[in-house]
Amino acid sequence: MRLSVALAVVAGLAASSPPSGYRILVASESGDIVTQLTWDGSALAVAKVVPVGIMPADIDGPHNVAAAPDGSAWYVTIAHGTPYGSLWKMSAGSDTLLGRAQVEMFPTTIGLTPDGALAFVANSDFHGDHPRVNVVTIVQTASMTPLTNLPACDMPHGVKANHAGTLVYVSCMNSDEILEIDRQSLRIRRRHKTAEGTSSGPPQHDCMPTFVSVSPDDRRLYVACNHGNTLQVLDAGSLELVKEIPAGAGAYNVEPSADGRWIIVTNKKAQSVSLVDAQTLTEVAKIPTTKPLPHGVAYSPDGRWAFISQESVGIDPGAVDVIDLTTRARVASIPIPRQPTGITILRAP
């Protein structure tokens, strides 16, 4: 009943829309669905709803989605299982299951290497005791075989590979640090404390980094500080703090645009996103969202639009908003039920 209601609600939102060359994938954590949206430059429309999960009597909790670099597949983390969560690989053409890998407790973010060969999955284990050491599961995507569970830190959450494919970065919420993993050895090379002082001056608070992203030229790291309400910019070579930029309350997700011009931070406790100029490292706009809990960020392939997922509150559905980066304004929105969280772009098959 739970799934059929969710599917009916989303299907009722669908409208005709010409193909845009890509789809926006959104995972609904409380509905065990991934909604595929199209955007025609003026309106969002539901193209398809894909059920995921293996426990009909319970919520499996799909949290994050990621698209294979070659567009052949997409991946989703399933938070709950027996006893652990899993990473699913889905066909981009038929949206059918291609493979599944067991990971660990409550997997969240998926970090794919640029060649698509490896997936690094953060196991956040939201309900475990602290302090503890959680693992990052590294999966060979061709066979969906876990290669190792790398002991990482206390509550790893965000994972992102650099564009050269040589390094992978992990944000650790409860141990307040960023990890740097070597792609070849699958070992942690360096650790950086986000709450400690650097030569550029000490932050005046704990960071609690929820997400980390990498600039298009791999020279900088962008860290969303959920407790600090800031965006930390790190030098990727030295891991030194370059600048700390005030964002909004509950800074949560951070993504740079592919052209290197913008950085967007979702402010989960402020019902807004911060639009930051990546050259001057200043916030140029704070754009209100339609729902209280903005979560994820994805950019259109042409760099014109940003899509923001927003979580549900009670029976009120969440949403995906569209921001026009030329006018720095919200221009469209569509309701999405059942706790939408992860969001990504998939080139349409």
Side-chain angles (χ1 to χ4, degrees):
M1 177 64 71
R2 168 176 54 83
L3 180 58
S4 63
V5 171
L7 292 173
V9 170
V10 179
L13 302 173
S16 60
S17 176
S20 59
Y22 62 93
R23 288 185 177 180
I24 306 141
L25 273 55
V26 188
S28 287
E29 191 168 292
S30 296
D32 291 353
I33 56 174
V34 173
T35 303
Q36 299 187 10
L37 303 174
T38 58
W39 168 247
D40 64 2
S42 61
L44 288 164
V46 176
K48 191 175 184 180
V49 179
V50 182
V52 293
I54 57 175
M55 297 188 293
D58 198 2
I59 294 172
D60 290 68
H63 184 79
N64 190 234
V65 282
D70 65 1
S72 64
W74 53 274
Y75 300 85
V76 57
T77 45
I78 304 295
H80 307 142
T82 52
Y84 299 121
S86 55
L87 175 69
W88 290 27
K89 180 180 182 180
M90 308 289 289
S91 167
S94 62
D95 299 305
T96 54
L97 182 66
L98 296 175
R100 185 165 54 220
Q102 180 176 288
V103 290
E104 283 247 353
M105 298 295 290
F106 208 108
T108 47
T109 307
I110 308 158
L112 293 170
T113 52
D115 59 6
L118 298 178
F120 290 71
V121 181
N123 297 285
S124 295
D125 188 11
F126 283 117
H127 307 294
D129 294 328
H130 301 281
R132 63 174 185 260
V133 176
N134 296 122
V135 301
V136 172
T137 303
I138 305 171
V139 177
Q140 184 184 60
T141 59
S143 61
M144 291 302 287
T145 303
L147 299 179
T148 187
N149 283 319
L150 180 66
C153 56
D154 193 344
M155 206 168 173
H157 188 263
V159 186
K160 193 61 66 77
N162 69 359
H163 300 82
T166 55
L167 301 169
V168 178
Y169 299 94
V170 180
S171 60
C172 302
M173 293 176 64
N174 281 355
S175 54
D176 236 314
E177 58 185 334
I178 300 296
L179 310 183
E180 181 183 78
I181 301 172
D182 178 71
R183 188 289 183 51
Q184 292 301 319
S185 65
L186 303 183
R187 295 180 181 273
I188 297 171
R189 292 190 358 161
R190 294 188 291 177
R191 294 176 180 265
H192 168 77
K193 278 290 188 180
T194 51
E196 287 184 351
T198 70
S199 60
S200 300
Q204 301 300 309
H205 44 64
D206 290 337
C207 170
M208 193 178 183
T210 38
F211 275 86
V212 58
S213 287
V214 187
S215 64
D217 61 6
D218 286 345
R219 296 178 62 185
R220 288 179 171 177
L221 307 180
Y222 303 120
V223 180
C225 291
N226 189 251
H227 276 185
N229 307 322
T230 61
L231 168 65
Q232 286 190 7
V233 181
L234 307 181
D235 181 278
S238 65
L239 297 185
E240 289 285 319
L241 181 68
V242 175
K243 188 173 183 180
E244 188 160 36
I245 306 160
Y252 189 77
N253 206 320
V254 56
E255 289 290 343
S257 58
D259 61 7
R261 183 178 180 185
W262 302 113
I263 310 162
I264 290 180
V265 180
T266 55
N267 301 313
K268 199 169 180 180
K269 299 176 184 177
Q271 194 167 339
S272 66
V273 300
S274 293
L275 183 62
V276 175
D277 186 307
Q279 302 305 311
T280 63
L281 296 181
T282 56
E283 183 188 67
V284 296
K286 192 175 262 91
I287 303 166
T289 55
T290 55
K291 301 289 183 177
L293 301 174
H295 185 104
V297 182
Y299 294 89
S300 62
D302 63 5
R304 169 74 184 275
W305 317 99
F307 305 100
I308 311 297
S309 64
Q310 296 149 85
E311 300 175 20
S312 307
V313 179
I315 62 172
D316 185 51
V320 169
D321 285 358
V322 184
I323 295 173
D324 186 340
L325 294 172
T326 60
T327 61
R328 307 175 190 178
R330 187 183 71 242
V331 294
S333 184
I334 191 171
I336 303 292
R338 302 290 186 175
Q339 198 71 6
T341 50
I343 185 169
T344 196
I345 299 296
L346 175 69
R347 299 278 184 170

